[in-house]
Amino acid sequence: MTTVGEFMTTRLVTMDGNDTLIAAAQEMRDSAIGDVVVTDGDNVVGIVTDRDITVRGVAENMDPGSTRLNQITTRDVITVSQYDDAVAAADLMRTYAVRRLPVIDDGRLVGLVSMGDLAVEREPQSVLADISADDPNN
């Protein structure tokens, strides 16, 4: 059995829910990532993706300089343990139609597993794995 911990991303970016959309977008750009985990202290409260900023923020005419992540955060995030089976994690993504799962250990955020991570691990010859394993082009 392959576990989530064997291929999860540990290079995480977390931000406070009071940070602005601009701050999150700049962090995503600078870190070459597409999401930030929103925390309140050590607690994961949600996740914000680059698409969330565009669709829930900018497209709704929210000011990116004053709108807070709390206003567009996806809450009730499904999480997994680093010891969970990779196939079970993929099933969770399919069931809940999500592309990323925070990895929690003893109540603490330790990683993030994405659909791309699973593709690289489980189907290395797939197009998604090829795209996910490539360097960012931005």
mmCIF file of all heavy atoms in Angstrom, residues 11-58:
data_model
loop_
_atom_site.group_PDB
_atom_site.id
_atom_site.type_symbol
_atom_site.label_atom_id
_atom_site.label_comp_id
_atom_site.label_asym_id
_atom_site.label_seq_id
_atom_site.Cartn_x
_atom_site.Cartn_y
_atom_site.Cartn_z
ATOM 1 N N ARG A 11 6.206 21.398 1.061
ATOM 2 C CA ARG A 11 6.526 22.814 0.877
ATOM 3 C C ARG A 11 5.204 23.578 0.821
ATOM 4 O O ARG A 11 4.627 23.797 -0.232
ATOM 5 C CB ARG A 11 7.313 23.012 -0.423
ATOM 6 C CG ARG A 11 7.902 24.390 -0.582
ATOM 7 C CD ARG A 11 8.697 24.483 -1.865
ATOM 8 N NE ARG A 11 7.885 24.263 -3.036
ATOM 9 C CZ ARG A 11 7.401 25.240 -3.806
ATOM 10 N NH1 ARG A 11 7.654 26.495 -3.529
ATOM 11 N NH2 ARG A 11 6.666 24.945 -4.865
ATOM 12 N N LEU A 12 4.705 23.936 2.001
ATOM 13 C CA LEU A 12 3.376 24.521 2.125
ATOM 14 C C LEU A 12 3.445 26.034 2.279
ATOM 15 O O LEU A 12 4.401 26.570 2.843
ATOM 16 C CB LEU A 12 2.679 23.966 3.364
ATOM 17 C CG LEU A 12 2.459 22.471 3.386
ATOM 18 C CD1 LEU A 12 1.968 22.046 4.749
ATOM 19 C CD2 LEU A 12 1.483 22.071 2.312
ATOM 20 N N VAL A 13 2.401 26.670 1.829
ATOM 21 C CA VAL A 13 2.233 28.089 2.089
ATOM 22 C C VAL A 13 0.911 28.235 2.815
ATOM 23 O O VAL A 13 -0.133 27.817 2.309
ATOM 24 C CB VAL A 13 2.238 28.922 0.791
ATOM 25 C CG1 VAL A 13 1.926 30.373 1.093
ATOM 26 C CG2 VAL A 13 3.592 28.796 0.096
ATOM 27 N N THR A 14 0.990 28.801 4.007
ATOM 28 C CA THR A 14 -0.222 29.079 4.773
ATOM 29 C C THR A 14 -0.359 30.580 4.921
ATOM 30 O O THR A 14 0.635 31.316 4.928
ATOM 31 C CB THR A 14 -0.186 28.425 6.169
ATOM 32 O OG1 THR A 14 0.904 28.967 6.914
ATOM 33 C CG2 THR A 14 -0.035 26.918 6.063
ATOM 34 N N MET A 15 -1.604 31.020 5.013
ATOM 35 C CA MET A 15 -1.880 32.436 5.218
ATOM 36 C C MET A 15 -3.037 32.565 6.187
ATOM 37 O O MET A 15 -3.869 31.662 6.316
ATOM 38 C CB MET A 15 -2.215 33.120 3.886
ATOM 39 C CG MET A 15 -1.046 33.108 2.900
ATOM 40 S SD MET A 15 -1.365 34.062 1.403
ATOM 41 C CE MET A 15 -1.073 35.720 2.027
ATOM 42 N N ASP A 16 -3.090 33.695 6.832
ATOM 43 C CA ASP A 16 -4.170 34.009 7.755
ATOM 44 C C ASP A 16 -5.395 34.453 6.965
ATOM 45 O O ASP A 16 -5.267 35.080 5.905
ATOM 46 C CB ASP A 16 -3.709 35.128 8.693
ATOM 47 C CG ASP A 16 -4.726 35.410 9.773
ATOM 48 O OD1 ASP A 16 -4.703 34.722 10.805
ATOM 49 O OD2 ASP A 16 -5.572 36.313 9.566
ATOM 50 N N GLY A 17 -6.560 34.152 7.474
ATOM 51 C CA GLY A 17 -7.805 34.539 6.811
ATOM 52 C C GLY A 17 -7.997 36.028 6.668
ATOM 53 O O GLY A 17 -8.807 36.486 5.857
ATOM 54 N N ASN A 18 -7.257 36.823 7.427
ATOM 55 C CA ASN A 18 -7.367 38.282 7.318
ATOM 56 C C ASN A 18 -6.444 38.866 6.258
ATOM 57 O O ASN A 18 -6.497 40.071 5.993
ATOM 58 C CB ASN A 18 -7.081 38.932 8.676
ATOM 59 C CG ASN A 18 -8.200 38.672 9.649
ATOM 60 O OD1 ASN A 18 -9.374 38.776 9.310
ATOM 61 N ND2 ASN A 18 -7.846 38.286 10.858
ATOM 62 N N ASP A 19 -5.602 38.036 5.642
ATOM 63 C CA ASP A 19 -4.761 38.516 4.546
ATOM 64 C C ASP A 19 -5.640 38.816 3.336
ATOM 65 O O ASP A 19 -6.708 38.235 3.165
ATOM 66 C CB ASP A 19 -3.707 37.476 4.180
ATOM 67 C CG ASP A 19 -2.626 37.337 5.232
ATOM 68 O OD1 ASP A 19 -2.295 38.340 5.893
ATOM 69 O OD2 ASP A 19 -2.110 36.220 5.398
ATOM 70 N N THR A 20 -5.160 39.706 2.484
ATOM 71 C CA THR A 20 -5.942 40.125 1.321
ATOM 72 C C THR A 20 -5.762 39.184 0.128
ATOM 73 O O THR A 20 -4.805 38.402 0.078
ATOM 74 C CB THR A 20 -5.544 41.538 0.866
ATOM 75 O OG1 THR A 20 -4.185 41.501 0.416
ATOM 76 C CG2 THR A 20 -5.734 42.562 1.980
ATOM 77 N N LEU A 21 -6.662 39.313 -0.817
ATOM 78 C CA LEU A 21 -6.560 38.530 -2.048
ATOM 79 C C LEU A 21 -5.279 38.875 -2.794
ATOM 80 O O LEU A 21 -4.626 37.991 -3.352
ATOM 81 C CB LEU A 21 -7.764 38.781 -2.959
ATOM 82 C CG LEU A 21 -9.153 38.475 -2.408
ATOM 83 C CD1 LEU A 21 -10.180 38.561 -3.521
ATOM 84 C CD2 LEU A 21 -9.211 37.153 -1.707
ATOM 85 N N ILE A 22 -4.905 40.143 -2.796
ATOM 86 C CA ILE A 22 -3.660 40.541 -3.463
ATOM 87 C C ILE A 22 -2.465 39.853 -2.813
ATOM 88 O O ILE A 22 -1.591 39.334 -3.507
ATOM 89 C CB ILE A 22 -3.475 42.072 -3.472
ATOM 90 C CG1 ILE A 22 -4.386 42.690 -4.526
ATOM 91 C CG2 ILE A 22 -2.033 42.459 -3.721
ATOM 92 C CD1 ILE A 22 -4.278 44.186 -4.659
ATOM 93 N N ALA A 23 -2.426 39.831 -1.492
ATOM 94 C CA ALA A 23 -1.307 39.189 -0.796
ATOM 95 C C ALA A 23 -1.237 37.704 -1.161
ATOM 96 O O ALA A 23 -0.158 37.161 -1.400
ATOM 97 C CB ALA A 23 -1.439 39.368 0.714
ATOM 98 N N ALA A 24 -2.392 37.054 -1.234
ATOM 99 C CA ALA A 24 -2.417 35.630 -1.588
ATOM 100 C C ALA A 24 -1.976 35.418 -3.035
ATOM 101 O O ALA A 24 -1.189 34.512 -3.320
ATOM 102 C CB ALA A 24 -3.817 35.057 -1.364
ATOM 103 N N ALA A 25 -2.461 36.248 -3.931
ATOM 104 C CA ALA A 25 -2.078 36.124 -5.340
ATOM 105 C C ALA A 25 -0.581 36.343 -5.518
ATOM 106 O O ALA A 25 0.081 35.615 -6.272
ATOM 107 C CB ALA A 25 -2.872 37.112 -6.188
ATOM 108 N N GLN A 26 -0.027 37.308 -4.816
ATOM 109 C CA GLN A 26 1.410 37.567 -4.910
ATOM 110 C C GLN A 26 2.215 36.400 -4.340
ATOM 111 O O GLN A 26 3.241 36.012 -4.901
ATOM 112 C CB GLN A 26 1.759 38.872 -4.203
ATOM 113 C CG GLN A 26 1.234 40.080 -4.948
ATOM 114 C CD GLN A 26 1.357 41.378 -4.158
ATOM 115 O OE1 GLN A 26 1.466 41.376 -2.922
ATOM 116 N NE2 GLN A 26 1.307 42.497 -4.867
ATOM 117 N N GLU A 27 1.742 35.827 -3.244
ATOM 118 C CA GLU A 27 2.422 34.666 -2.651
ATOM 119 C C GLU A 27 2.379 33.476 -3.598
ATOM 120 O O GLU A 27 3.363 32.769 -3.767
ATOM 121 C CB GLU A 27 1.788 34.308 -1.308
ATOM 122 C CG GLU A 27 2.500 33.202 -0.584
ATOM 123 C CD GLU A 27 3.925 33.555 -0.180
ATOM 124 O OE1 GLU A 27 4.142 34.664 0.342
ATOM 125 O OE2 GLU A 27 4.827 32.710 -0.392
ATOM 126 N N MET A 28 1.228 33.269 -4.226
ATOM 127 C CA MET A 28 1.114 32.176 -5.194
ATOM 128 C C MET A 28 2.070 32.396 -6.363
ATOM 129 O O MET A 28 2.744 31.455 -6.802
ATOM 130 C CB MET A 28 -0.324 32.057 -5.697
ATOM 131 C CG MET A 28 -1.291 31.512 -4.679
ATOM 132 S SD MET A 28 -2.970 31.452 -5.377
ATOM 133 C CE MET A 28 -3.945 31.341 -3.888
ATOM 134 N N ARG A 29 2.133 33.615 -6.852
ATOM 135 C CA ARG A 29 3.052 33.927 -7.954
ATOM 136 C C ARG A 29 4.495 33.689 -7.541
ATOM 137 O O ARG A 29 5.246 33.008 -8.238
ATOM 138 C CB ARG A 29 2.869 35.388 -8.379
ATOM 139 C CG ARG A 29 3.849 35.831 -9.467
ATOM 140 C CD ARG A 29 4.012 37.334 -9.529
ATOM 141 N NE ARG A 29 4.545 37.843 -8.270
ATOM 142 C CZ ARG A 29 4.369 39.097 -7.846
ATOM 143 N NH1 ARG A 29 3.664 39.956 -8.545
ATOM 144 N NH2 ARG A 29 4.896 39.492 -6.698
ATOM 145 N N ASP A 30 4.873 34.225 -6.398
ATOM 146 C CA ASP A 30 6.263 34.131 -5.945
ATOM 147 C C ASP A 30 6.683 32.705 -5.618
ATOM 148 O O ASP A 30 7.853 32.347 -5.766
ATOM 149 C CB ASP A 30 6.486 35.036 -4.732
ATOM 150 C CG ASP A 30 6.303 36.515 -5.049
ATOM 151 O OD1 ASP A 30 6.267 36.880 -6.252
ATOM 152 O OD2 ASP A 30 6.171 37.306 -4.095
ATOM 153 N N SER A 31 5.740 31.884 -5.157
ATOM 154 C CA SER A 31 6.037 30.497 -4.787
ATOM 155 C C SER A 31 5.720 29.508 -5.902
ATOM 156 O O SER A 31 5.924 28.308 -5.723
ATOM 157 C CB SER A 31 5.239 30.114 -3.531
ATOM 158 O OG SER A 31 5.592 30.937 -2.441
ATOM 159 N N ALA A 32 5.215 30.007 -7.021
ATOM 160 C CA ALA A 32 4.845 29.165 -8.166
ATOM 161 C C ALA A 32 3.891 28.046 -7.751
ATOM 162 O O ALA A 32 4.102 26.869 -8.041
ATOM 163 C CB ALA A 32 6.077 28.603 -8.856
ATOM 164 N N ILE A 33 2.816 28.439 -7.042
ATOM 165 C CA ILE A 33 1.805 27.487 -6.579
ATOM 166 C C ILE A 33 0.425 28.002 -6.953
ATOM 167 O O ILE A 33 0.273 29.163 -7.347
ATOM 168 C CB ILE A 33 1.890 27.264 -5.048
ATOM 169 C CG1 ILE A 33 1.753 28.603 -4.300
ATOM 170 C CG2 ILE A 33 3.187 26.553 -4.684
ATOM 171 C CD1 ILE A 33 1.671 28.477 -2.802
ATOM 172 N N GLY A 34 -0.575 27.166 -6.815
ATOM 173 C CA GLY A 34 -1.933 27.550 -7.165
ATOM 174 C C GLY A 34 -2.895 27.597 -6.008
ATOM 175 O O GLY A 34 -4.100 27.743 -6.200
ATOM 176 N N ASP A 35 -2.377 27.480 -4.776
ATOM 177 C CA ASP A 35 -3.261 27.500 -3.617
ATOM 178 C C ASP A 35 -2.499 27.900 -2.365
ATOM 179 O O ASP A 35 -1.277 27.775 -2.308
ATOM 180 C CB ASP A 35 -3.879 26.119 -3.397
ATOM 181 C CG ASP A 35 -2.808 25.072 -3.152
ATOM 182 O OD1 ASP A 35 -2.373 24.933 -1.995
ATOM 183 O OD2 ASP A 35 -2.400 24.397 -4.111
ATOM 184 N N VAL A 36 -3.245 28.390 -1.385
ATOM 185 C CA VAL A 36 -2.705 28.604 -0.044
ATOM 186 C C VAL A 36 -3.683 27.987 0.942
ATOM 187 O O VAL A 36 -4.894 27.998 0.716
ATOM 188 C CB VAL A 36 -2.476 30.106 0.299
ATOM 189 C CG1 VAL A 36 -1.398 30.709 -0.580
ATOM 190 C CG2 VAL A 36 -3.745 30.912 0.213
ATOM 191 N N VAL A 37 -3.136 27.415 1.995
ATOM 192 C CA VAL A 37 -3.963 26.871 3.062
ATOM 193 C C VAL A 37 -4.221 28.005 4.042
ATOM 194 O O VAL A 37 -3.284 28.682 4.479
ATOM 195 C CB VAL A 37 -3.270 25.682 3.761
ATOM 196 C CG1 VAL A 37 -4.131 25.155 4.902
ATOM 197 C CG2 VAL A 37 -2.975 24.576 2.749
ATOM 198 N N VAL A 38 -5.485 28.224 4.347
ATOM 199 C CA VAL A 38 -5.872 29.310 5.249
ATOM 200 C C VAL A 38 -5.936 28.745 6.659
ATOM 201 O O VAL A 38 -6.592 27.727 6.910
ATOM 202 C CB VAL A 38 -7.221 29.922 4.836
ATOM 203 C CG1 VAL A 38 -7.607 31.064 5.769
ATOM 204 C CG2 VAL A 38 -7.153 30.421 3.387
ATOM 205 N N THR A 39 -5.218 29.408 7.559
ATOM 206 C CA THR A 39 -5.133 28.931 8.938
ATOM 207 C C THR A 39 -5.553 30.014 9.927
ATOM 208 O O THR A 39 -5.528 31.202 9.616
ATOM 209 C CB THR A 39 -3.699 28.477 9.282
ATOM 210 O OG1 THR A 39 -2.804 29.569 9.058
ATOM 211 C CG2 THR A 39 -3.281 27.288 8.439
ATOM 212 N N ASP A 40 -5.915 29.561 11.093
ATOM 213 C CA ASP A 40 -6.159 30.425 12.242
ATOM 214 C C ASP A 40 -5.275 29.842 13.332
ATOM 215 O O ASP A 40 -5.610 28.829 13.935
ATOM 216 C CB ASP A 40 -7.628 30.393 12.642
ATOM 217 C CG ASP A 40 -7.916 31.288 13.841
ATOM 218 O OD1 ASP A 40 -7.034 32.075 14.244
ATOM 219 O OD2 ASP A 40 -9.039 31.197 14.377
ATOM 220 N N GLY A 41 -4.105 30.448 13.514
ATOM 221 C CA GLY A 41 -3.101 29.853 14.390
ATOM 222 C C GLY A 41 -2.612 28.570 13.761
ATOM 223 O O GLY A 41 -2.192 28.556 12.609
ATOM 224 N N ASP A 42 -2.711 27.451 14.493
ATOM 225 C CA ASP A 42 -2.297 26.158 13.961
ATOM 226 C C ASP A 42 -3.441 25.386 13.299
ATOM 227 O O ASP A 42 -3.234 24.289 12.787
ATOM 228 C CB ASP A 42 -1.708 25.289 15.080
ATOM 229 C CG ASP A 42 -0.344 25.784 15.518
ATOM 230 O OD1 ASP A 42 0.331 26.449 14.715
ATOM 231 O OD2 ASP A 42 0.049 25.502 16.669
ATOM 232 N N ASN A 43 -4.639 25.947 13.344
ATOM 233 C CA ASN A 43 -5.808 25.242 12.815
ATOM 234 C C ASN A 43 -6.050 25.566 11.350
ATOM 235 O O ASN A 43 -6.061 26.740 10.960
ATOM 236 C CB ASN A 43 -7.065 25.612 13.610
ATOM 237 C CG ASN A 43 -6.959 25.206 15.053
ATOM 238 O OD1 ASN A 43 -6.436 24.143 15.370
ATOM 239 N ND2 ASN A 43 -7.442 26.054 15.942
ATOM 240 N N VAL A 44 -6.250 24.534 10.545
ATOM 241 C CA VAL A 44 -6.626 24.720 9.141
ATOM 242 C C VAL A 44 -8.106 25.091 9.105
ATOM 243 O O VAL A 44 -8.943 24.362 9.633
ATOM 244 C CB VAL A 44 -6.387 23.428 8.333
ATOM 245 C CG1 VAL A 44 -6.938 23.568 6.921
ATOM 246 C CG2 VAL A 44 -4.911 23.076 8.310
ATOM 247 N N VAL A 45 -8.400 26.240 8.505
ATOM 248 C CA VAL A 45 -9.799 26.667 8.390
ATOM 249 C C VAL A 45 -10.312 26.570 6.959
ATOM 250 O O VAL A 45 -11.506 26.651 6.729
ATOM 251 C CB VAL A 45 -10.037 28.079 8.961
ATOM 252 C CG1 VAL A 45 -9.759 28.114 10.446
ATOM 253 C CG2 VAL A 45 -9.212 29.119 8.235
ATOM 254 N N GLY A 46 -9.403 26.420 5.995
ATOM 255 C CA GLY A 46 -9.854 26.309 4.618
ATOM 256 C C GLY A 46 -8.709 26.381 3.637
ATOM 257 O O GLY A 46 -7.533 26.305 4.012
ATOM 258 N N ILE A 47 -9.079 26.548 2.387
ATOM 259 C CA ILE A 47 -8.099 26.643 1.320
ATOM 260 C C ILE A 47 -8.606 27.655 0.298
ATOM 261 O O ILE A 47 -9.808 27.791 0.096
ATOM 262 C CB ILE A 47 -7.848 25.252 0.688
ATOM 263 C CG1 ILE A 47 -6.622 25.259 -0.191
ATOM 264 C CG2 ILE A 47 -9.071 24.749 -0.036
ATOM 265 C CD1 ILE A 47 -6.114 23.861 -0.532
ATOM 266 N N VAL A 48 -7.680 28.379 -0.299
ATOM 267 C CA VAL A 48 -8.001 29.328 -1.365
ATOM 268 C C VAL A 48 -7.094 29.011 -2.545
ATOM 269 O O VAL A 48 -5.881 28.872 -2.386
ATOM 270 C CB VAL A 48 -7.804 30.794 -0.913
ATOM 271 C CG1 VAL A 48 -7.908 31.749 -2.092
ATOM 272 C CG2 VAL A 48 -8.825 31.175 0.148
ATOM 273 N N THR A 49 -7.697 28.906 -3.715
ATOM 274 C CA THR A 49 -6.942 28.638 -4.935
ATOM 275 C C THR A 49 -6.896 29.895 -5.799
ATOM 276 O O THR A 49 -7.659 30.845 -5.582
ATOM 277 C CB THR A 49 -7.588 27.505 -5.744
ATOM 278 O OG1 THR A 49 -8.862 27.946 -6.224
ATOM 279 C CG2 THR A 49 -7.745 26.239 -4.907
ATOM 280 N N ASP A 50 -6.019 29.857 -6.800
ATOM 281 C CA ASP A 50 -5.963 30.968 -7.742
ATOM 282 C C ASP A 50 -7.311 31.133 -8.449
ATOM 283 O O ASP A 50 -7.765 32.247 -8.709
ATOM 284 C CB ASP A 50 -4.823 30.799 -8.746
ATOM 285 C CG ASP A 50 -4.729 29.414 -9.369
ATOM 286 O OD1 ASP A 50 -5.596 28.541 -9.112
ATOM 287 O OD2 ASP A 50 -3.763 29.191 -10.123
ATOM 288 N N ARG A 51 -7.972 30.031 -8.697
ATOM 289 C CA ARG A 51 -9.300 30.096 -9.325
ATOM 290 C C ARG A 51 -10.315 30.752 -8.391
ATOM 291 O O ARG A 51 -11.183 31.512 -8.844
ATOM 292 C CB ARG A 51 -9.768 28.689 -9.712
ATOM 293 C CG ARG A 51 -11.066 28.697 -10.482
ATOM 294 C CD ARG A 51 -11.434 27.278 -10.959
ATOM 295 N NE ARG A 51 -12.537 27.309 -11.891
ATOM 296 C CZ ARG A 51 -13.817 27.441 -11.546
ATOM 297 N NH1 ARG A 51 -14.154 27.556 -10.279
ATOM 298 N NH2 ARG A 51 -14.764 27.462 -12.471
ATOM 299 N N ASP A 52 -10.243 30.465 -7.090
ATOM 300 C CA ASP A 52 -11.142 31.112 -6.129
ATOM 301 C C ASP A 52 -10.981 32.631 -6.167
ATOM 302 O O ASP A 52 -11.964 33.374 -6.129
ATOM 303 C CB ASP A 52 -10.871 30.626 -4.699
ATOM 304 C CG ASP A 52 -11.210 29.168 -4.476
ATOM 305 O OD1 ASP A 52 -12.111 28.640 -5.161
ATOM 306 O OD2 ASP A 52 -10.560 28.555 -3.602
ATOM 307 N N ILE A 53 -9.735 33.085 -6.221
ATOM 308 C CA ILE A 53 -9.486 34.522 -6.265
ATOM 309 C C ILE A 53 -10.156 35.127 -7.500
ATOM 310 O O ILE A 53 -10.808 36.172 -7.420
ATOM 311 C CB ILE A 53 -7.976 34.825 -6.243
ATOM 312 C CG1 ILE A 53 -7.396 34.453 -4.879
ATOM 313 C CG2 ILE A 53 -7.700 36.296 -6.573
ATOM 314 C CD1 ILE A 53 -5.877 34.507 -4.792
ATOM 315 N N THR A 54 -10.041 34.434 -8.613
ATOM 316 C CA THR A 54 -10.620 34.934 -9.856
ATOM 317 C C THR A 54 -12.146 34.874 -9.855
ATOM 318 O O THR A 54 -12.811 35.872 -10.127
ATOM 319 C CB THR A 54 -10.078 34.120 -11.053
ATOM 320 O OG1 THR A 54 -8.662 34.211 -11.057
ATOM 321 C CG2 THR A 54 -10.632 34.634 -12.361
ATOM 322 N N VAL A 55 -12.698 33.705 -9.539
ATOM 323 C CA VAL A 55 -14.135 33.490 -9.679
ATOM 324 C C VAL A 55 -14.940 34.042 -8.509
ATOM 325 O O VAL A 55 -15.973 34.683 -8.699
ATOM 326 C CB VAL A 55 -14.422 31.981 -9.873
ATOM 327 C CG1 VAL A 55 -15.906 31.681 -9.871
ATOM 328 C CG2 VAL A 55 -13.786 31.502 -11.173
ATOM 329 N N ARG A 56 -14.477 33.806 -7.287
ATOM 330 C CA ARG A 56 -15.230 34.258 -6.113
ATOM 331 C C ARG A 56 -14.918 35.694 -5.717
ATOM 332 O O ARG A 56 -15.701 36.325 -5.023
ATOM 333 C CB ARG A 56 -14.935 33.357 -4.915
ATOM 334 C CG ARG A 56 -15.453 31.963 -5.063
ATOM 335 C CD ARG A 56 -15.120 31.162 -3.826
ATOM 336 N NE ARG A 56 -15.580 29.790 -3.970
ATOM 337 C CZ ARG A 56 -15.266 28.828 -3.124
ATOM 338 N NH1 ARG A 56 -14.503 29.092 -2.081
ATOM 339 N NH2 ARG A 56 -15.705 27.612 -3.323
ATOM 340 N N GLY A 57 -13.748 36.161 -6.127
ATOM 341 C CA GLY A 57 -13.347 37.514 -5.754
ATOM 342 C C GLY A 57 -13.489 38.502 -6.886
ATOM 343 O O GLY A 57 -14.444 39.282 -6.943
ATOM 344 N N VAL A 58 -12.564 38.464 -7.817
ATOM 345 C CA VAL A 58 -12.508 39.454 -8.890
ATOM 346 C C VAL A 58 -13.780 39.448 -9.736
ATOM 347 O O VAL A 58 -14.342 40.508 -10.026
ATOM 348 C CB VAL A 58 -11.250 39.229 -9.762
ATOM 349 C CG1 VAL A 58 -11.231 40.192 -10.935
ATOM 350 C CG2 VAL A 58 -9.983 39.392 -8.914
#
